[in-house]
Amino acid sequence: MGRPLKTIDGHAMLGDETYLSLRPAELLRRMDAAGVDLAIARPMGAGLVVDHRAGNDLVLTAGPRIRGLASVNPWWGPAALEELLRCRDQGAVGMFLDPLRQGFFPTESIVAPLLERAAQYGWPVMIRTGAYIFADVLAVVEIARRFPSVAFIAGFGGYADMWFEMSEAIGSVGNLYLDASMLWGDGIDEIVRRHGAARVLFGSAEPRNRYRVCLRTLDRLELSDAERDAIYYGNAERLFHL
Amino acid sequence: MTRILDFHAHLDERWLHVRCDTPAHAVDALDRFEVEAACVFTIMGFYEDCRPHNDALLRRADEFPDRLIPFATVDPKQGRAAVEELQRCLANPRFRGVKFHPWLQAFAPNMLRDTMLEILHVAAQHRAPVLFHDGTPPYSTTYQIAELARWSPETTVVLGHAGSADYVNPAAELIRDLPNLYGCFCGPRPGDLVHLVEVGGAEKILFGSDFGAAGWRLLPERIDNVLEAGLDPRDLDNVLYANAARLLKLDEHPLPPGTQTSSEAGR
Ligand SMILES: [Zn+2]
């Protein structure tokens, strides 16, 4: 498999969270070192959970090679919708929600106005998925059924111990995509084989993961050129309207 | 490049309906990625009667005694019989450790405290490390596994995933605070490893891949996760080799010589 024309990282994180920390300048340095052209970033830590203005400003002013996903806590109510409008005007390309850190079930009524807004803006919605109750992959499938016009991206792909739901989940709705940043090669490969490369986005989960780990994981799969191009950049361009 | 020992791999005929690598295939992967030896665990033995699975694992590992190091498992729900099965296994010096997967084996350590204490005691007598799956509720949270290290300070307890997806920070702190608690870096990512080494100490973290449960690709992926953390050479050697060699007592009891190579075995 040769190198793709370009590489778009579908999931990087900026800010400070527990022991992780990443600023735009360092992300750009890592992108350059790995040959990554563009990264889609979302806030982490306080900027994700409580201080949305700061978190969103961090990812939305990091450009031009870093584009931002806006994040708001659904418990903010109408103020969350105002913040989404502000972010759209600043060039956000989608929304990021973390049910685990922000404390809600994706199916709760407080979330619906945010998803309606995403539909209106043509935004994809990335939702963190994993083993913890609020982050249930199947809850994301449920809202994907309720909002068929919105593209949902399963952030971290159920990592770690819900990985075994991922392939079925993607098979059961047409508007759910995999963020491949934390899934191992065989897990990614199974989804590509069963559901097609159009459902998988390259992501790095920087600074938790590393570009080199994620790129080498994909390079070991026996992808056709068309599959490779879809995963490395084509799907991201389509979903984020880049 | 430093030497590599893999402290967490699986060697079984199948995982539920999925067929797994043969011993020759497993050793072939070890060869390709320059891993000297791997600690290997059952998979179906977590679901079914342990005793035949311990015997089958030993038979498989004995195809390459210089490369595959079996860990026994027992079912603590069986009480006294579990302790006896552990004694039977550890009487054979080929078994160098014990593996539990509490959520697959359907027990929380706290539900079976007396049996677990006896098991930990037997392991300590044999100086055999006991590795537990960790990082997942309701039976295998990192805190639940660390409790076992508190109950039995003379036993070496290893968090099988060093916190896995969501318990890395608790794992780092518990490894720092409990002298007999170690972390197998198997699943978390380079940014997590930096933190585990910084807080828990490079002499308490051991590399593991989990390969054998999924395909061969897991092995190089997980080696990449270590290499990309940018550890200094001394810490890197501790994580990839020296800590495992110490817990497995390889200096005192070297692995038996091999009888064949993976290519001779005809794969
Ligand atoms: Zn395992």
Side-chain angles (χ1 to χ4, degrees):
Chain A
M1 189 180 90
R3 301 301 311 171
L5 264 180
K6 51 188 155 178
T7 303
I8 298 176
D9 172 7
H11 189 183
M13 307 182 270
L14 291 174
D16 301 279
E17 186 170 302
T18 320
Y19 51 89
L20 298 174
S21 180
L22 189 62
R23 295 276 164 274
E26 173 61 14
L27 177 59
L28 282 166
R29 199 193 61 74
R30 294 183 188 191
M31 289 163 64
D32 285 337
V36 172
D37 301 279
L38 186 82
I40 309 296
R42 52 88 169 180
M44 62 176 171
L48 167 71
V49 184
V50 288
D51 192 359
H52 300 316
R53 255 194 114 86
N56 291 329
D57 281 346
L58 180 64
V59 301
L60 293 171
T61 58
R65 287 175 56 205
I66 301 174
R67 306 295 300 273
L69 300 181
S71 193
V72 288
N73 190 320
W75 292 105
W76 268 29
L81 298 176
E82 279 169 40
E83 175 63 8
L84 291 180
L85 175 61
R86 193 186 73 90
C87 291
R88 190 199 56 168
D89 292 345
Q90 281 203 73
V93 295
M95 191 192 304
F96 180 84
L97 299 174
D98 186 335
L100 172 59
R101 287 274 190 205
Q102 295 174 328
F104 60 91
F105 260 118
T107 46
E108 272 182 88
S109 58
I110 51 163
V111 186
L114 274 54
L115 301 177
E116 282 158 14
R117 194 57 74 88
Q120 189 189 329
Y121 294 169
W123 277 355
V125 180
M126 184 184 290
I127 302 189
R128 182 242 187 97
T129 53
Y132 291 88
I133 294 170
F134 291 153
D136 193 321
V137 175
L138 299 183
V140 178
V141 172
E142 201 55 38
I143 51 167
R145 286 194 187 102
R146 293 184 198 171
F147 291 86
S149 71
V150 176
F152 290 89
I153 303 166
F156 298 155
Y159 172 77
D161 280 17
M162 293 299 279
W163 61 271
F164 52 82
E165 296 293 350
M166 230 28 262
S167 184
E168 284 295 321
I170 285 178
S172 64
V173 282
N175 54 332
L176 180 63
Y177 298 82
L178 172 74
D179 154 33
S181 64
M182 296 294 273
L183 199 55
W184 39 92
D186 285 283
I188 299 167
D189 197 53
E190 183 188 338
I191 291 169
V192 173
R193 297 296 142 238
R194 287 183 61 187
H195 309 298
R199 306 296 287 277
V200 176
L201 287 87
F202 164 66
S204 72
E206 284 271 10
R208 188 175 191 188
N209 209 339
R210 293 287 182 277
Y211 280 123
R212 214 173 129 81
V213 172
C214 302
L215 290 169
R216 283 165 58 101
T217 294
L218 288 178
D219 286 346
R220 278 188 205 97
L221 306 183
E222 283 153 29
L223 301 173
S224 69
D225 287 356
E227 289 170 336
R228 177 205 62 196
D229 291 350
I231 294 171
Y232 275 77
Y233 68 89
N235 299 333
E237 285 185 335
R238 187 178 77 251
L239 292 178
F240 296 113
H241 306 291
L242 300 173
Chain B
M1 178 72 183
T2 173
R3 301 170 72 180
I4 304 177
L5 286 171
D6 185 344
F7 206 75
H8 185 154
H10 294 270
L11 185 68
D12 208 330
E13 210 170 52
R14 63 187 172 93
W15 181 3
L16 302 177
H17 59 287
V18 180
R19 294 204 73 77
C20 297
D21 285 344
T22 63
H25 273 110
V27 170
D28 187 54
L30 298 181
D31 285 343
R32 269 188 292 154
F33 302 104
E34 297 177 34
V35 178
E36 292 184 22
C39 300
V40 290
F41 321 142
T42 180
I43 302 177
M44 293 312 295
F46 301 136
Y47 299 85
E48 300 170 346
D49 185 17
C50 296
R51 193 178 164 121
H53 283 288
N54 285 328
D55 292 340
L57 176 68
L58 179 62
R59 268 199 312 278
R60 284 192 190 95
D62 274 347
E63 290 184 35
F64 299 92
D66 55 332
R67 311 295 298 282
L68 301 173
I69 306 167
F71 277 34
T73 195
V74 297
D75 179 0
K77 301 190 296 300
Q78 295 180 346
R80 188 67 224 157
V83 180
E84 282 164 13
E85 171 62 4
L86 186 63
Q87 283 165 326
R88 182 185 78 93
C89 289
L90 292 182
N92 182 338
R94 283 285 286 135
F95 282 107
R96 299 262 175 134
V98 190
K99 159 80 193 244
F100 288 100
H101 199 309
W103 71 258
L104 290 183
Q105 291 179 295
F107 71 94
N110 201 27
M111 295 169 173
L112 300 165
R113 187 183 163 109
D114 291 347
T115 305
M116 288 313 295
L117 273 171
E118 276 191 80
I119 285 169
L120 293 170
H121 180 66
V122 169
Q125 280 177 327
H126 288 84
R127 292 164 60 217
V130 188
L131 182 145
F132 291 83
H133 172 91
D134 83 303
T136 331
Y139 292 161
S140 303
T141 75
T142 302
Y143 291 110
Q144 286 171 310
I145 306 308
E147 280 301 288
L148 293 150
R150 282 201 176 90
W151 296 349
S152 182
E154 79 276 17
T155 311
T156 296
V157 174
V158 182
L159 300 168
H161 297 285
S164 189
D166 301 284
Y167 282 88
V168 170
N169 190 43
E173 293 175 350
L174 290 159
I175 291 164
R176 174 195 66 200
D177 295 344
L178 299 172
N180 57 322
L181 185 69
Y182 290 72
C184 187
F185 179 71
C186 175
R189 301 311 179 124
D192 302 318
L193 180 56
V194 171
H195 183 65
L196 286 161
V197 164
E198 240 168 53
V199 175
E203 65 295 334
K204 301 286 288 293
I205 310 296
L206 318 98
F207 164 69
S209 73
D210 230 344
F211 103 98
W216 63 268
R217 291 188 187 101
L218 211 44
L219 185 59
E221 281 172 26
R222 296 231 154 129
I223 293 172
D224 281 350
N225 272 285
V226 178
L227 298 180
E228 294 304 314
L231 301 181
D232 72 48
R234 196 195 156 90
D235 288 351
L236 186 65
D237 176 64
N238 270 325
V239 171
L240 283 177
Y241 184 83
N243 297 333
R246 193 172 72 250
L247 293 193
L248 296 167
K249 308 184 295 285
L250 291 187
D251 274 356
E252 251 172 276
H253 305 287
L255 297 177
T259 51
Q260 59 180 353
T261 64
S262 59
S263 49
E264 280 165 9
R267 305 183 48 184

